[in-house]
Amino acid sequence: MGKKKKLGQKQAAQPKAEKEQALTLQDQLGGDVLAKLKAAKQTLVDKEKAEEEERQARQAFERKQREKNMSFEELLNQYGENGSKY
């Protein structure tokens, strides 16, 4: 029975050791490294947002150019009776 108690004590100590390792990993990173990682993340998010806006603007421009270069027949087929009369 003495062996069982010792095994039980070791098992109870293992979760504490895992918690200590997780904390030490966070402590090892330090505040300046975390700040750099957050800044890099924000930079990437801003860059992706700018690229998405640029892509949408380019699509709108291309759509306007296609419509601008359409013939009267193509415009009439596309808009038909729904277009404005002016």
Side-chain angles (χ1 to χ4, degrees):
M1 282 195 184
K3 291 181 181 178
K4 289 183 181 179
K5 288 182 181 179
K6 289 181 181 177
L7 290 175
Q9 290 173 353
K10 288 182 181 178
Q11 289 176 352
Q14 287 177 352
K16 289 181 183 178
E18 290 175 8
K19 289 180 183 178
E20 289 174 4
Q21 287 177 350
L23 291 175
T24 57
L25 184 62
Q26 184 179 4
D27 293 338
Q28 287 176 354
L29 288 177
D32 59 333
V33 175
L34 288 174
K36 287 180 183 179
L37 288 172
K38 287 180 182 181
K41 180 182 176 184
Q42 186 63 36
T43 303
L44 288 174
V45 168
D46 292 343
K47 184 178 178 182
E48 288 176 358
K49 187 176 180 180
E51 288 175 355
E52 179 65 22
E53 289 174 357
E54 183 180 330
R55 184 186 64 80
Q56 289 177 354
R58 186 177 41 228
Q59 284 180 342
F61 176 75
E62 289 172 357
R63 189 176 328 118
K64 286 182 181 182
Q65 290 297 329
R66 281 193 305 269
E67 187 173 310
K68 183 178 175 181
N69 293 330
M70 282 185 178
S71 68
F72 180 74
E73 182 181 0
E74 291 170 332
L75 289 171
L76 188 61
N77 289 335
Q78 183 176 357
Y79 293 106
E81 297 294 324
N82 297 333
S84 68
K85 295 185 180 187
Y86 299 104

Coordinates of all heavy atoms in Angstrom, one line a residue:
M1 N 0.8 -1.2 0.0 CA 0.0 0.0 0.0 C 0.8 1.3 0.0 O 0.4 2.3 -0.5 CB -0.9 0.0 1.2 CG -2.1 -0.8 1.1 SD -3.2 -0.3 2.4 CE -4.5 -1.5 2.1
G2 N 2.0 1.2 0.5 CA 2.9 2.3 0.6 C 3.2 2.8 -0.8 O 3.4 4.0 -1.1
K3 N 3.4 1.9 -1.8 CA 3.7 2.2 -3.1 C 2.6 3.0 -3.8 O 2.8 3.9 -4.6 CB 4.0 1.0 -3.9 CG 5.3 0.3 -3.5 CD 5.6 -0.9 -4.3 CE 6.9 -1.6 -3.9 NZ 7.1 -2.8 -4.7
K4 N 1.4 2.6 -3.5 CA 0.2 3.3 -4.1 C 0.2 4.8 -3.7 O -0.1 5.7 -4.5 CB -1.0 2.6 -3.8 CG -1.2 1.3 -4.5 CD -2.5 0.6 -4.2 CE -2.6 -0.7 -4.9 NZ -3.9 -1.4 -4.6
K5 N 0.5 5.0 -2.4 CA 0.4 6.4 -1.9 C 1.5 7.2 -2.6 O 1.3 8.4 -2.9 CB 0.6 6.4 -0.4 CG -0.6 5.9 0.3 CD -0.4 6.0 1.8 CE -1.6 5.4 2.6 NZ -1.4 5.5 4.0
K6 N 2.6 6.7 -2.8 CA 3.7 7.4 -3.5 C 3.4 7.7 -4.9 O 3.6 8.8 -5.4 CB 5.0 6.6 -3.4 CG 5.6 6.5 -2.0 CD 6.9 5.8 -2.0 CE 7.5 5.7 -0.6 NZ 8.7 4.9 -0.6
L7 N 2.8 6.8 -5.6 CA 2.3 7.0 -7.0 C 1.3 8.1 -7.0 O 1.3 9.0 -7.9 CB 1.8 5.8 -7.7 CG 2.8 4.7 -8.0 CD1 2.1 3.4 -8.5 CD2 3.8 5.2 -8.9
G8 N 0.4 8.1 -6.1 CA -0.7 9.1 -6.0 C -0.1 10.5 -5.8 O -0.5 11.5 -6.4
Q9 N 1.0 10.6 -5.0 CA 1.6 11.9 -4.8 C 2.3 12.4 -6.0 O 2.3 13.6 -6.3 CB 2.6 11.8 -3.6 CG 1.9 11.6 -2.3 CD 2.9 11.3 -1.2 OE1 4.0 11.1 -1.4 NE2 2.4 11.2 0.1
K10 N 2.9 11.5 -6.7 CA 3.6 11.9 -8.0 C 2.6 12.4 -9.0 O 2.9 13.4 -9.7 CB 4.5 10.8 -8.5 CG 5.7 10.4 -7.7 CD 6.5 9.3 -8.4 CE 7.7 9.0 -7.5 NZ 8.5 7.9 -8.1
Q11 N 1.5 11.8 -9.1 CA 0.5 12.2 -10.1 C -0.1 13.6 -9.7 O -0.3 14.4 -10.6 CB -0.6 11.2 -10.2 CG -0.2 9.9 -10.8 CD -1.3 8.8 -10.8 OE1 -2.3 9.0 -10.2 NE2 -1.1 7.7 -11.5
A12 N -0.2 13.8 -8.5 CA -0.7 15.1 -8.1 C 0.3 16.2 -8.3 O 0.0 17.3 -8.6 CB -1.1 15.1 -6.6
A13 N 1.6 15.9 -8.3 CA 2.6 16.9 -8.5 C 2.8 17.2 -10.0 O 3.3 18.3 -10.3 CB 3.9 16.4 -7.9
Q14 N 2.4 16.3 -10.9 CA 2.6 16.5 -12.3 C 1.8 17.7 -12.8 O 2.3 18.5 -13.6 CB 2.3 15.3 -13.1 CG 3.4 14.2 -12.9 CD 3.0 12.9 -13.7 OE1 1.9 12.8 -14.2 NE2 3.9 12.0 -13.7
P15 N 0.5 17.9 -12.5 CA -0.2 19.1 -13.0 C 0.4 20.4 -12.6 O 0.5 21.3 -13.3 CB -1.6 18.9 -12.5 CG -1.8 17.4 -12.3 CD -0.4 16.9 -11.9
K16 N 0.9 20.4 -11.3 CA 1.6 21.6 -10.9 C 2.8 21.9 -11.7 O 3.1 23.1 -12.0 CB 1.9 21.5 -9.4 CG 0.7 21.5 -8.5 CD 1.2 21.4 -7.0 CE 0.0 21.3 -6.1 NZ 0.3 21.1 -4.7
A17 N 3.6 20.9 -12.0 CA 4.8 21.1 -12.8 C 4.4 21.6 -14.2 O 5.1 22.4 -14.7 CB 5.5 19.7 -12.9
E18 N 3.3 21.1 -14.8 CA 2.9 21.6 -16.1 C 2.5 23.1 -16.0 O 2.8 23.8 -16.9 CB 1.8 20.7 -16.6 CG 2.1 19.3 -17.0 CD 0.9 18.5 -17.4 OE1 -0.2 19.0 -17.5 OE2 1.1 17.3 -17.6
K19 N 1.8 23.4 -15.0 CA 1.5 24.8 -14.8 C 2.7 25.7 -14.7 O 2.8 26.8 -15.2 CB 0.6 25.0 -13.6 CG -0.8 24.4 -13.8 CD -1.7 24.6 -12.5 CE -3.0 24.0 -12.7 NZ -3.8 24.1 -11.4
E20 N 3.7 25.2 -13.9 CA 4.9 26.0 -13.7 C 5.6 26.2 -15.0 O 6.2 27.2 -15.3 CB 5.8 25.3 -12.7 CG 5.3 25.4 -11.3 CD 6.1 24.6 -10.3 OE1 7.1 24.0 -10.7 OE2 5.7 24.5 -9.1
Q21 N 5.7 25.1 -15.9 CA 6.3 25.2 -17.2 C 5.6 26.2 -18.1 O 6.2 27.0 -18.8 CB 6.4 23.8 -17.8 CG 7.3 22.9 -17.2 CD 7.3 21.5 -17.9 OE1 6.4 21.2 -18.6 NE2 8.3 20.7 -17.5
A22 N 4.3 26.2 -18.0 CA 3.5 27.2 -18.9 C 3.8 28.6 -18.4 O 4.0 29.5 -19.2 CB 2.0 26.9 -18.8
L23 N 3.9 28.8 -17.1 CA 4.2 30.1 -16.6 C 5.6 30.6 -17.0 O 5.8 31.7 -17.3 CB 3.9 30.2 -15.1 CG 2.5 30.1 -14.6 CD1 2.4 30.0 -13.1 CD2 1.7 31.2 -15.2
T24 N 6.5 29.6 -16.9 CA 7.9 30.0 -17.2 C 8.1 30.3 -18.6 O 8.8 31.2 -19.0 CB 8.9 28.9 -16.7 OG1 8.5 27.7 -17.4 CG2 8.9 28.7 -15.2
L25 N 7.3 29.7 -19.5 CA 7.4 30.0 -20.9 C 6.9 31.4 -21.2 O 7.5 32.1 -21.9 CB 6.5 28.9 -21.7 CG 6.6 29.0 -23.2 CD1 8.0 28.8 -23.7 CD2 5.6 28.0 -23.8
Q26 N 5.8 31.8 -20.5 CA 5.3 33.1 -20.7 C 6.3 34.1 -20.1 O 6.5 35.2 -20.7 CB 3.9 33.2 -20.0 CG 3.3 34.6 -20.2 CD 1.9 34.6 -19.5 OE1 1.5 33.7 -18.8 NE2 1.2 35.7 -19.6
D27 N 6.8 33.8 -19.0 CA 7.8 34.7 -18.4 C 9.1 34.8 -19.2 O 9.7 35.9 -19.3 CB 8.2 34.2 -17.0 CG 7.1 34.2 -16.0 OD1 6.1 35.0 -16.2 OD2 7.1 33.5 -15.0
Q28 N 9.4 33.8 -19.9 CA 10.6 33.8 -20.8 C 10.4 34.8 -22.0 O 11.4 35.4 -22.4 CB 11.0 32.4 -21.3 CG 11.6 31.5 -20.2 CD 11.8 30.1 -20.8 OE1 11.4 29.8 -21.9 NE2 12.4 29.3 -19.9
L29 N 9.2 34.9 -22.4 CA 9.0 35.7 -23.6 C 9.2 37.2 -23.2 O 9.8 38.0 -23.9 CB 7.5 35.6 -24.1 CG 7.2 34.3 -24.8 CD1 5.8 34.2 -25.2 CD2 8.1 34.2 -26.1
G30 N 8.8 37.6 -22.0 CA 9.0 38.9 -21.6 C 8.1 39.9 -22.2 O 7.4 39.7 -23.2
G31 N 8.0 41.1 -21.6 CA 7.0 42.1 -22.0 C 7.4 42.7 -23.4 O 6.6 43.0 -24.2
D32 N 8.7 43.0 -23.6 CA 9.2 43.6 -24.8 C 8.9 42.7 -26.1 O 8.5 43.1 -27.1 CB 10.6 44.0 -24.8 CG 11.6 42.9 -24.5 OD1 11.1 41.9 -23.9 OD2 12.7 43.0 -24.9
V33 N 9.1 41.4 -25.9 CA 8.9 40.4 -27.0 C 7.4 40.4 -27.3 O 7.0 40.3 -28.4 CB 9.5 39.0 -26.6 CG1 9.1 38.0 -27.7 CG2 11.0 39.1 -26.4
L34 N 6.6 40.3 -26.2 CA 5.1 40.3 -26.5 C 4.7 41.6 -27.2 O 3.8 41.5 -28.1 CB 4.4 40.2 -25.1 CG 4.5 38.8 -24.5 CD1 3.8 38.8 -23.1 CD2 3.8 37.8 -25.3
A35 N 5.2 42.7 -26.8 CA 4.9 44.0 -27.4 C 5.3 43.9 -28.9 O 4.5 44.4 -29.8 CB 5.6 45.1 -26.7
K36 N 6.4 43.4 -29.2 CA 6.9 43.3 -30.6 C 6.0 42.4 -31.4 O 5.6 42.7 -32.6 CB 8.3 42.8 -30.7 CG 9.4 43.8 -30.2 CD 10.7 43.2 -30.3 CE 11.8 44.1 -29.8 NZ 13.1 43.5 -29.9
L37 N 5.6 41.3 -30.8 CA 4.6 40.3 -31.5 C 3.3 41.0 -31.7 O 2.7 40.8 -32.8 CB 4.4 39.1 -30.7 CG 5.6 38.1 -30.6 CD1 5.4 37.0 -29.6 CD2 5.9 37.5 -32.0
K38 N 2.8 41.7 -30.8 CA 1.5 42.4 -31.0 C 1.6 43.5 -32.1 O 0.7 43.7 -32.9 CB 1.0 43.0 -29.7 CG 0.5 42.0 -28.7 CD 0.1 42.6 -27.4 CE -0.4 41.6 -26.4 NZ -0.8 42.2 -25.1
A39 N 2.7 44.2 -32.1 CA 2.9 45.2 -33.1 C 3.0 44.6 -34.5 O 2.5 45.1 -35.5 CB 4.2 46.0 -32.8
A40 N 3.7 43.4 -34.6 CA 3.8 42.7 -35.9 C 2.5 42.2 -36.3 O 2.1 42.3 -37.5 CB 4.8 41.6 -35.7
K41 N 1.7 41.8 -35.4 CA 0.3 41.3 -35.7 C -0.5 42.5 -36.2 O -1.2 42.3 -37.2 CB -0.3 40.7 -34.5 CG -1.7 40.2 -34.8 CD -2.4 39.6 -33.5 CE -3.8 39.2 -33.8 NZ -4.5 38.7 -32.5
Q42 N -0.5 43.6 -35.6 CA -1.2 44.8 -36.0 C -0.8 45.2 -37.4 O -1.6 45.6 -38.2 CB -1.1 45.9 -34.9 CG -2.0 47.1 -35.2 CD -3.4 46.7 -35.2 OE1 -3.9 45.9 -34.4 NE2 -4.2 47.3 -36.0
T43 N 0.5 45.2 -37.6 CA 1.0 45.6 -38.9 C 0.5 44.7 -40.0 O 0.1 45.1 -41.1 CB 2.6 45.5 -38.9 OG1 3.1 46.4 -37.9 CG2 3.1 46.0 -40.3
L44 N 0.5 43.4 -39.8 CA -0.1 42.4 -40.7 C -1.6 42.7 -41.0 O -2.0 42.6 -42.1 CB 0.2 41.0 -40.3 CG 1.6 40.5 -40.4 CD1 1.8 39.1 -39.8 CD2 2.1 40.5 -41.8
V45 N -2.3 42.9 -39.9 CA -3.7 43.1 -40.0 C -4.0 44.4 -40.9 O -4.8 44.4 -41.8 CB -4.4 43.3 -38.6 CG1 -5.8 43.8 -38.7 CG2 -4.4 41.9 -38.0
D46 N -3.2 45.5 -40.6 CA -3.4 46.7 -41.3 C -3.0 46.5 -42.8 O -3.7 47.0 -43.7 CB -2.5 47.8 -40.7 CG -3.0 48.3 -39.4 OD1 -4.1 48.0 -39.0 OD2 -2.1 48.9 -38.7
K47 N -2.0 45.7 -43.1 CA -1.6 45.5 -44.4 C -2.6 44.7 -45.2 O -2.9 45.0 -46.3 CB -0.2 44.7 -44.4 CG 0.3 44.4 -45.8 CD 1.7 43.7 -45.7 CE 2.2 43.4 -47.1 NZ 3.5 42.6 -47.0
E48 N -3.2 43.7 -44.6 CA -4.2 42.9 -45.2 C -5.5 43.7 -45.5 O -6.1 43.6 -46.5 CB -4.6 41.7 -44.3 CG -3.6 40.6 -44.3 CD -3.9 39.5 -43.3 OE1 -5.0 39.6 -42.7 OE2 -3.2 38.5 -43.3
K49 N -5.8 44.6 -44.5 CA -7.0 45.5 -44.7 C -6.7 46.5 -45.9 O -7.6 46.7 -46.7 CB -7.2 46.3 -43.4 CG -8.5 47.1 -43.5 CD -8.7 47.8 -42.1 CE -9.9 48.7 -42.1 NZ -10.2 49.3 -40.8
A50 N -5.5 47.0 -46.0 CA -5.2 47.9 -47.1 C -5.3 47.2 -48.4 O -5.8 47.7 -49.4 CB -3.8 48.5 -46.9
E51 N -4.7 45.9 -48.5 CA -4.8 45.2 -49.7 C -6.2 44.8 -50.1 O -6.5 44.9 -51.3 CB -4.0 43.9 -49.5 CG -2.5 44.1 -49.5 CD -1.7 42.8 -49.2 OE1 -2.4 41.7 -48.9 OE2 -0.5 42.8 -49.2
E52 N -7.1 44.6 -49.1 CA -8.5 44.3 -49.4 C -9.2 45.5 -50.0 O -9.9 45.4 -51.0 CB -9.2 43.8 -48.2 CG -10.7 43.5 -48.4 CD -10.9 42.3 -49.3 OE1 -10.0 41.5 -49.5 OE2 -12.0 42.3 -49.9
E53 N -8.9 46.7 -49.4 CA -9.5 47.9 -49.9 C -9.0 48.2 -51.3 O -9.8 48.6 -52.2 CB -9.2 49.1 -49.0 CG -9.9 49.0 -47.6 CD -9.4 50.1 -46.7 OE1 -8.5 50.8 -47.0 OE2 -10.0 50.1 -45.6
E54 N -7.7 48.0 -51.6 CA -7.2 48.2 -52.9 C -7.8 47.3 -53.9 O -8.2 47.7 -55.0 CB -5.7 48.0 -52.9 CG -5.0 48.3 -54.2 CD -3.5 48.1 -54.1 OE1 -2.9 48.2 -53.0 OE2 -2.9 47.7 -55.2
R55 N -8.0 46.0 -53.5 CA -8.6 45.0 -54.4 C -10.1 45.4 -54.8 O -10.5 45.4 -55.9 CB -8.6 43.6 -53.8 CG -9.2 42.5 -54.7 CD -9.3 41.2 -54.0 NE -10.2 41.3 -52.9 CZ -11.6 41.1 -53.0 NH1 -12.1 41.0 -54.2 NH2 -12.4 41.2 -52.0
Q56 N -10.8 45.9 -53.8 CA -12.2 46.3 -54.0 C -12.2 47.6 -54.9 O -13.1 47.7 -55.8 CB -12.9 46.6 -52.7 CG -13.2 45.4 -51.9 CD -13.8 45.7 -50.6 OE1 -14.0 46.8 -50.2 NE2 -14.2 44.6 -49.8
A57 N -11.3 48.5 -54.7 CA -11.3 49.7 -55.5 C -10.9 49.3 -57.0 O -11.5 49.9 -57.9 CB -10.3 50.7 -55.0
R58 N -10.0 48.4 -57.1 CA -9.6 48.0 -58.5 C -10.8 47.3 -59.2 O -11.0 47.5 -60.3 CB -8.4 47.0 -58.4 CG -7.8 46.6 -59.7 CD -6.6 45.8 -59.6 NE -6.8 44.8 -58.5 CZ -5.9 44.5 -57.6 NH1 -4.8 45.1 -57.5 NH2 -6.2 43.7 -56.6
Q59 N -11.5 46.5 -58.4 CA -12.7 45.8 -59.0 C -13.8 46.8 -59.4 O -14.4 46.7 -60.5 CB -13.3 44.8 -58.1 CG -12.5 43.5 -57.9 CD -13.2 42.6 -56.9 OE1 -14.0 43.0 -56.1 NE2 -12.8 41.3 -57.0
A60 N -14.0 47.8 -58.6 CA -15.0 48.9 -58.9 C -14.5 49.6 -60.2 O -15.3 49.9 -61.1 CB -15.2 49.8 -57.8
F61 N -13.2 50.0 -60.3 CA -12.7 50.7 -61.4 C -12.9 49.8 -62.7 O -13.3 50.3 -63.7 CB -11.2 51.0 -61.2 CG -10.6 51.7 -62.4 CD1 -10.9 53.0 -62.7 CD2 -9.7 51.0 -63.2 CE1 -10.3 53.6 -63.7 CE2 -9.1 51.6 -64.3 CZ -9.4 52.9 -64.6
E62 N -12.5 48.5 -62.6 CA -12.6 47.7 -63.8 C -14.1 47.5 -64.2 O -14.4 47.5 -65.4 CB -12.0 46.3 -63.5 CG -10.5 46.3 -63.4 CD -9.9 45.0 -62.9 OE1 -10.7 44.1 -62.6 OE2 -8.7 44.9 -62.8
R63 N -15.0 47.4 -63.2 CA -16.4 47.3 -63.6 C -16.9 48.6 -64.3 O -17.6 48.5 -65.3 CB -17.2 47.2 -62.3 CG -18.7 46.8 -62.5 CD -19.4 46.6 -61.2 NE -18.6 46.0 -60.1 CZ -18.3 46.5 -58.9 NH1 -18.8 47.7 -58.6 NH2 -17.5 45.9 -58.1
K64 N -16.5 49.8 -63.8 CA -16.8 51.0 -64.5 C -16.2 51.1 -65.9 O -16.9 51.6 -66.8 CB -16.4 52.2 -63.7 CG -17.2 52.4 -62.4 CD -16.7 53.7 -61.7 CE -17.6 53.9 -60.4 NZ -17.2 55.1 -59.7
Q65 N -15.0 50.6 -66.1 CA -14.4 50.6 -67.4 C -15.1 49.7 -68.3 O -15.3 50.0 -69.5 CB -12.9 50.2 -67.3 CG -12.0 51.2 -66.6 CD -12.0 52.5 -67.4 OE1 -12.1 52.6 -68.6 NE2 -11.9 53.6 -66.6
R66 N -15.5 48.5 -67.9 CA -16.3 47.6 -68.7 C -17.6 48.2 -69.1 O -18.0 48.2 -70.3 CB -16.5 46.3 -68.0 CG -15.4 45.3 -68.0 CD -15.8 43.9 -67.5 NE -16.4 43.9 -66.3 CZ -15.8 43.8 -65.1 NH1 -14.5 43.7 -65.0 NH2 -16.5 43.8 -64.0
E67 N -18.3 48.9 -68.2 CA -19.6 49.5 -68.5 C -19.3 50.7 -69.4 O -20.1 50.9 -70.3 CB -20.2 50.0 -67.2 CG -21.6 50.5 -67.4 CD -22.3 50.8 -66.2 OE1 -22.4 49.9 -65.3 OE2 -22.9 51.9 -66.0
K68 N -18.3 51.4 -69.2 CA -18.0 52.6 -70.1 C -17.7 52.1 -71.5 O -18.1 52.8 -72.5 CB -16.7 53.3 -69.5 CG -16.3 54.5 -70.3 CD -15.1 55.1 -69.6 CE -14.6 56.3 -70.3 NZ -13.4 56.9 -69.7
N69 N -17.1 50.9 -71.7 CA -16.8 50.5 -73.0 C -17.9 49.6 -73.7 O -17.7 49.1 -74.8 CB -15.5 49.7 -73.0 CG -14.3 50.5 -72.6 OD1 -14.3 51.7 -73.0 ND2 -13.3 49.9 -72.0
M70 N -19.0 49.5 -73.0 CA -20.1 48.7 -73.6 C -20.8 49.5 -74.7 O -20.8 50.7 -74.7 CB -21.2 48.4 -72.5 CG -20.8 47.3 -71.6 SD -22.3 47.0 -70.5 CE -21.7 45.7 -69.5
S71 N -21.3 48.7 -75.6 CA -22.0 49.4 -76.7 C -23.4 49.7 -76.2 O -23.9 49.2 -75.2 CB -22.1 48.4 -77.9 OG -22.9 47.3 -77.6
F72 N -24.2 50.4 -77.0 CA -25.5 50.8 -76.6 C -26.4 49.6 -76.5 O -27.2 49.4 -75.6 CB -26.1 51.8 -77.7 CG -27.5 52.2 -77.3 CD1 -27.8 53.1 -76.3 CD2 -28.6 51.7 -78.0 CE1 -29.1 53.5 -76.0 CE2 -29.9 52.0 -77.7 CZ -30.1 52.9 -76.7
E73 N -26.2 48.6 -77.4 CA -27.0 47.4 -77.4 C -26.7 46.6 -76.1 O -27.7 46.1 -75.5 CB -26.6 46.5 -78.6 CG -27.5 45.2 -78.7 CD -27.1 44.4 -79.9 OE1 -26.2 44.8 -80.7 OE2 -27.7 43.3 -80.0
E74 N -25.5 46.5 -75.7 CA -25.1 45.8 -74.5 C -25.8 46.4 -73.2 O -26.3 45.8 -72.4 CB -23.6 45.7 -74.3 CG -23.0 44.8 -75.3 CD -21.5 44.9 -75.3 OE1 -20.9 45.9 -74.9 OE2 -20.8 43.8 -75.6
L75 N -25.7 47.8 -73.2 CA -26.3 48.5 -72.1 C -27.8 48.3 -72.1 O -28.4 48.1 -71.0 CB -26.0 50.0 -72.2 CG -24.5 50.4 -71.9 CD1 -24.3 51.8 -72.3 CD2 -24.2 50.1 -70.4
L76 N -28.4 48.4 -73.2 CA -29.9 48.2 -73.3 C -30.3 46.8 -72.9 O -31.3 46.6 -72.1 CB -30.4 48.4 -74.8 CG -31.9 48.4 -75.0 CD1 -32.5 49.6 -74.2 CD2 -32.2 48.6 -76.4
N77 N -29.5 45.8 -73.3 CA -29.8 44.4 -72.8 C -29.6 44.2 -71.3 O -30.3 43.5 -70.7 CB -28.9 43.4 -73.5 CG -29.3 43.2 -75.0 OD1 -30.4 43.5 -75.4 ND2 -28.3 42.9 -75.8
Q78 N -28.6 44.9 -70.8 CA -28.3 44.8 -69.4 C -29.4 45.5 -68.5 O -29.9 45.0 -67.5 CB -26.9 45.3 -69.0 CG -26.6 45.2 -67.6 CD -25.2 45.6 -67.3 OE1 -24.4 46.0 -68.2 NE2 -24.8 45.6 -66.0
Y79 N -29.7 46.7 -68.9 CA -30.6 47.5 -68.0 C -32.0 47.5 -68.5 O -33.0 47.6 -67.7 CB -30.1 49.0 -67.9 CG -28.8 49.1 -67.2 CD1 -27.6 49.4 -67.9 CD2 -28.8 48.9 -65.8 CE1 -26.4 49.5 -67.2 CE2 -27.6 49.0 -65.1 CZ -26.4 49.3 -65.8 OH -25.2 49.4 -65.2
G80 N -32.2 47.4 -69.8 CA -33.6 47.3 -70.3 C -34.5 48.4 -69.9 O -34.1 49.6 -69.9
E81 N -35.7 48.0 -69.4 CA -36.7 49.0 -69.0 C -36.4 49.6 -67.6 O -37.0 50.6 -67.2 CB -38.0 48.4 -69.0 CG -38.5 47.9 -70.3 CD -38.8 49.0 -71.3 OE1 -39.3 50.1 -70.8 OE2 -38.5 48.9 -72.5
N82 N -35.4 49.0 -66.9 CA -35.1 49.5 -65.5 C -34.2 50.7 -65.5 O -34.1 51.3 -64.4 CB -34.5 48.3 -64.7 CG -35.4 47.2 -64.6 OD1 -36.6 47.3 -64.6 ND2 -34.9 46.0 -64.4
G83 N -33.6 51.0 -66.6 CA -32.7 52.2 -66.6 C -33.4 53.5 -66.5 O -34.6 53.6 -66.7
S84 N -32.8 54.5 -66.1 CA -33.4 55.8 -66.0 C -33.6 56.4 -67.4 O -33.0 56.0 -68.4 CB -32.6 56.8 -65.2 OG -31.4 57.1 -65.9
K85 N -34.6 57.3 -67.6 CA -34.9 57.8 -68.9 C -34.0 59.0 -69.3 O -34.2 59.6 -70.3 CB -36.4 58.2 -68.9 CG -37.3 57.0 -68.7 CD -38.7 57.4 -68.8 CE -39.6 56.2 -68.6 NZ -41.0 56.4 -68.9
Y86 N -33.1 59.4 -68.4 CA -32.2 60.5 -68.8 C -30.9 60.1 -69.2 O -30.1 59.4 -68.7 CB -32.2 61.5 -67.6 CG -33.5 62.0 -67.3 CD1 -34.2 61.6 -66.2 CD2 -34.1 63.0 -68.1 CE1 -35.5 62.1 -65.9 CE2 -35.4 63.5 -67.8 CZ -36.0 63.0 -66.7 OH -37.3 63.5 -66.4

